[in-house]
Amino acid sequence: MLARTGGLRRQGVPRPDATRVLVVANQKGGVGKTTSTVNVAAGLAQLGQKVLVIDLDPQGNASTALGAEHHRGVPSTYDMVVDGRPLAEVMTESTDLPGLWVVPATIDLAGAEIELVSVVAREQRLSRAIEAHPLVGAAADIGEDRFDYVFIDCPPSLGLLTLNALVAGQEMFIPIQAEYYALEGLGMLLDTVDMVKQHLNPQLTISTILLTMYDARTRLAAGVADEVRGHFGDQVLKTAVPRSVRVSEAPSYGQTVMTYDPASAGALSYLEAAREIASKGAPSA
Ligand SMILES: Nc1ncnc2c1ncn2[C@@H]1O[C@H](COP(=O)(O)OP(=O)(O)OP(=O)(O)O)[C@@H](O)[C@H]1O
Ligand SMILES: [Mg+2]
């Protein structure tokens, strides 16, 4: 099994021509945003991509899962978004996985939602910080050192932080938990995306939907999957992530499941999801 997964990981994927910025959002709580962010990001790093995760949730769960310190005082998303500190000064490389970088979120970020209200260009803070980084952009301009992917892990709300992410990204990545109320509330998210497209970021596209915590034994999960595929079609990844204890215990070791138990069903699904995202490529505008 290990040999097989090692083999899968060695077969890299082509790098995109320019940095792809994916916003992982769903205002519903606990659907697998953070888990999907960190594991897809780690999977892409294992496939040879250079990846940055920006933790935009004051809970700091993505920071925990990536083994990044996020106590008060650590350079963080707050410093970048509220105080205008350059991205290069707040990101650090993962010790477990070279090529995977993270900007941690501290509890200060909880105040940002209110502090940003009175700040100039309050919806554009994150997008400006990302665009100003010298290693974000087209291969033709930057070369080999460029970032291939930036993932933004959003909090479970549609406030100013999430809005900043929607303005900063080209692609939306929506994890959907395969359970009864899965589609409830999604309409509000889609309306927000339309509003952002019209007024703030015309290039925003829903490129990726991932079914999470999928229990193949139940008809309910299959029914939800059919409904989601009926609605979103090709935007839904073929891979669904099964519910797996290994996935949920990895963060308590400060790890993603991709390094904690690379041969587990959860890790293999996330690796496959990462590969699908890479091989589909960026959506054409
Ligand atoms: N495939 C899985 N198998 C088992 N447990 C999972 C799986 N995916 C996520 N979980 C667990 O479900 C819970 C919610 O996941 P996660 O934190 O990723 O959701 P979230 O959408 O980021 O939540 P929030 O809205 O609070 O930010 C966590 O305890 C996580 O460990
Ligand atoms: Mg989360």
Side-chain angles (χ1 to χ4, degrees):
M1 194 65 169
L2 266 177
R4 206 188 103 212
T5 63
L8 272 177
R9 285 176 171 82
R10 272 194 301 278
Q11 296 160 19
V13 290
R15 302 178 67 183
D17 294 333
T19 310
R20 291 173 64 183
V21 181
L22 288 95
V23 182
V24 186
N26 186 336
Q27 83 276 20
K28 191 161 184 181
V31 297
K33 291 181 287 296
T34 301
T35 306
S36 300
T37 301
V38 299
N39 290 306
V40 168
L44 283 166
Q46 289 177 328
L47 291 167
Q49 309 290 299
K50 184 164 169 180
V51 186
L52 170 66
V53 171
I54 298 177
D55 191 346
L56 196 62
D57 186 343
Q59 299 178 97
N61 296 150
S63 313
T64 302
L66 295 173
E69 286 194 34
H70 58 103
H71 54 81
R72 269 215 159 109
V74 168
S76 71
T77 308
Y78 177 90
D79 303 311
M80 173 170 73
V81 172
V82 178
D83 290 339
R85 231 173 129 177
L87 170 55
E89 290 180 16
V90 295
M91 63 186 205
T92 49
E93 191 167 11
S94 153
T95 43
D96 296 340
L97 260 179
L100 179 59
W101 295 72
V102 58
V103 181
T106 62
I107 192 66
D108 300 306
L109 198 56
E113 203 79 70
I114 290 170
E115 288 172 52
L116 280 175
V117 170
S118 56
V119 162
V120 187
R122 61 187 179 188
E123 298 97 356
Q124 270 92 17
R125 308 287 296 183
L126 183 60
S127 100
R128 288 184 184 173
I130 295 173
E131 278 163 22
H133 194 283
L135 298 182
V136 170
D141 304 326
I142 302 167
E144 289 304 299
D145 279 347
R146 72 188 183 275
F147 276 100
D148 298 302
Y149 292 89
V150 176
F151 287 89
I152 307 171
D153 183 30
C154 293
S157 64
L158 292 174
L160 261 178
L161 285 171
T162 298
L163 193 57
N164 262 270
L166 295 174
V167 172
Q170 302 107 32
E171 300 180 48
M172 273 203 71
F173 175 163
I174 308 177
I176 295 181
Q177 185 177 346
E179 49 137 46
Y180 186 62
Y181 295 111
L183 297 174
E184 203 161 275
L186 217 54
M188 209 201 296
L189 181 61
L190 302 183
D191 288 348
T192 305
V193 173
D194 282 342
M195 185 277 286
V196 171
K197 268 179 87 127
Q198 272 180 42
H199 299 287
L200 296 163
N201 181 10
Q203 59 169 346
L204 186 65
T205 311
I206 298 173
S207 69
T208 310
I209 311 265
L210 177 62
L211 289 158
T212 64
M213 294 177 252
Y214 188 81
D215 185 348
R217 293 165 308 181
T218 67
R219 279 165 58 188
L220 173 64
V224 171
D226 284 347
E227 200 179 343
V228 172
R229 288 185 200 286
H231 195 274
F232 291 102
D234 287 346
Q235 293 156 304
V236 187
L237 297 184
K238 295 193 186 76
T239 316
V241 178
R243 194 177 271 286
S244 135
V245 178
R246 307 305 264 169
V247 169
S248 57
E249 56 190 28
S252 55
Y253 298 89
Q255 286 189 48
T256 66
V257 77
M258 313 307 285
T259 57
Y260 173 66
D261 190 352
S264 63
L268 291 174
S269 308
Y270 272 119
L271 186 65
E272 201 45 47
R275 189 183 289 286
E276 270 192 63
I277 290 170
S279 36
K280 275 169 87 175
S284 41

